[in-house]
Amino acid sequence: MKSILQGIRLVFVVVLVFWFSDFRSQECISVNSNNWNNTGTWLCDGVNRVPTCGDTVYITAGRTVSVTNQNNYEACGSSMVIDVSGDLAFTNGNKLELPCGSLFSIQIGGSVYKNGPGGGSSTLISICDSEIWRAADGTLNGPYSSGGSVLPIELISFHVSEFEDYYLLTWKTAAEINNDFFTLYNSDDGDEWLEILEISGAGKSNQEKTYESQVQRDETIGSYFKLQQTDFDGSFETVAYVMAQDGIDDYKPSTMVWPNPTNDIFYIDLTNYRGSIDILLYNLSGSLVYSWQASAKELTFRGSLIATGVNDGTYLLSIDDGVKREAVKITLK
């Protein structure tokens, strides 16, 4: 690990394209929930503008970007990357048409869907004039990817927790191939980035790997962080952006359950919980139906409702670490 040169939520299974040209794309991050064509929705290398040809576009967790126009990028001379960790919602008959060589991916917790009735066949996403999703297909949840060529990494999560004296950076991979090392960058405005540390990757692995590092807080460290991955051949790509969240010094656990409703598998974001966690499933009459156990170190818990033998309907999930307790309604259908 390099020494610190100077002293941000989601759920990513990230695959990004390699493409080779003299054109250097910009990275556009959703900073507000709003319309795709609203400049205030995006921060593209420090500038509020709408995504355009060649951009790598991140719809971050907790943000909903609405497609309310015909967005046709097919004539672009360079490919695009669209990576969805939040929600991408389409209104009736509107489209997102991407150029050849583009990649469209959805991370765990992300989803693509249509708001309102109608437009089942005319509301769509395409790459090189080939449809990859239509509203008639229903909601498309992550993990999912289509198009492009992929980097050899599956990133499950990337969290940054803010404490009084330091930031705790934690990320988890599901698989790695030829992954040499990770580089962490920091920014106070999401525009200018400073390398703060480097951590060796697992090389080749088909098992979950968890990485953790601390960065001391001072006036030079901002609240934006990005994670970059580099292969042994020197190829590299940014694989995640996050903004630091309050850590457990203030102890404000937050819970997100997705997809909800679900037909079986669900995930729980375990941000800021402590130790061993009891996850209890109750029916609406208050009777315990099923229970699981998790560790706060997992960051994301995966559960199956069908395995419980319960019928379709609405239930209450209780998430309890012995200090704090959260309850979320979940629907099995």
Side-chain angles (χ1 to χ4, degrees):
M1 180 191 305
K2 288 183 178 179
S3 60
I4 296 175
L5 303 180
Q6 291 185 33
I8 122 191
R9 169 177 83 154
L10 293 226
V11 176
F12 266 48
V13 180
V14 175
V15 285
L16 296 175
V17 295
F18 285 111
W19 70 97
F20 302 91
S21 71
D22 293 331
F23 178 83
R24 177 61 179 170
S25 69
Q26 289 193 323
E27 294 168 333
C28 294
I29 310 167
S30 65
V31 292
N32 289 296
S33 293
N34 211 318
N35 193 293
W36 177 282
N37 299 97
N38 187 316
T39 57
T41 305
W42 309 101
L43 189 65
C44 303
D45 283 7
V47 177
N48 293 116
R49 65 165 174 82
V50 175
T52 190
C53 301
D55 285 342
T56 296
V57 181
Y58 296 94
I59 299 175
T60 53
R63 308 293 187 192
T64 298
V65 175
S66 300
V67 177
T68 61
N69 295 84
Q70 307 281 344
N71 296 278
N72 190 340
Y73 297 98
E74 289 181 346
C76 286
S78 51
S79 57
M80 300 176 70
V81 176
I82 313 295
D83 191 83
V84 182
S85 293
D87 293 323
L88 183 60
F90 287 73
T91 55
N92 190 31
N94 290 303
K95 304 174 177 62
L96 187 58
E97 298 170 288
L98 305 176
C100 297
S102 295
L103 173 69
F104 184 88
S105 61
I106 309 174
Q107 309 308 326
I108 295 175
S111 63
V112 174
Y113 56 88
K114 182 185 175 296
N115 275 328
S121 298
S122 60
T123 303
L124 57 86
I125 301 170
S126 68
I127 297 177
C128 201
D129 204 29
S130 178
E131 295 178 6
I132 63 172
W133 173 83
R134 297 184 307 165
D137 300 328
T139 298
L140 183 60
N141 295 308
Y144 168 88
S145 67
S146 180
S149 302
V150 301
L151 280 174
I153 178 175
E154 289 189 7
L155 185 69
I156 298 174
S157 59
F158 178 37
H159 293 262
V160 178
S161 297
E162 181 178 0
F163 297 89
E164 183 177 356
D165 299 320
Y166 65 94
Y167 292 102
L168 177 64
L169 290 74
T170 308
W171 65 100
K172 181 186 292 188
T173 63
E176 301 177 32
I177 303 174
N178 298 323
N179 179 30
D180 190 3
F181 60 90
F182 294 97
T183 309
L184 280 299
Y185 292 84
N186 178 255
S187 174
D188 60 1
D189 60 5
D191 183 17
E192 298 293 331
W193 295 91
L194 173 69
E195 179 181 340
I196 54 173
L197 56 88
E198 183 180 292
I199 294 180
S200 296
K204 182 178 181 180
S205 172
N206 59 4
Q207 297 180 338
E208 288 189 1
K209 297 288 185 180
T210 299
Y211 298 86
E212 182 176 293
S213 185
Q214 292 184 13
V215 176
Q216 295 301 307
R217 294 188 61 177
D218 63 33
E219 66 276 4
T220 69
I221 298 295
S223 58
Y224 293 90
F225 294 82
K226 73 175 179 179
L227 178 67
Q228 178 179 287
Q229 177 266 342
T230 300
D231 291 349
F232 287 113
D233 65 2
S235 302
F236 63 90
E237 280 292 348
T238 298
V239 295
Y241 289 90
V242 295
M243 179 178 287
Q245 305 292 325
D246 287 339
I248 55 177
D249 281 355
D250 295 326
Y251 199 41
K252 299 175 181 177
S254 62
T255 302
M256 182 173 72
V257 178
W258 72 92
N260 189 12
T262 180
N263 58 7
D264 180 17
I265 303 299
F266 66 95
Y267 299 88
I268 306 175
D269 185 343
L270 298 175
T271 304
N272 292 341
Y273 280 90
R274 294 176 173 175
S276 179
I277 302 170
D278 291 321
I279 301 173
L280 309 175
L281 183 69
Y282 295 91
N283 61 28
L284 296 184
S285 298
S287 299
L288 179 65
V289 176
Y290 203 81
S291 65
W292 301 265
Q293 278 203 325
S295 168
K297 293 182 178 180
E298 293 182 37
L299 300 181
T300 302
F301 169 80
R302 179 184 185 275
S304 170
L305 287 171
I306 288 180
T308 67
V310 302
N311 298 320
D312 291 357
T314 300
Y315 297 85
L316 192 68
L317 272 175
S318 170
I319 301 95
D320 188 350
D321 66 358
V323 179
K324 293 285 186 176
R325 182 176 181 179
E326 295 276 311
V328 178
K329 283 186 178 181
I330 186 169
T331 301
L332 173 63
K333 67 175 187 178

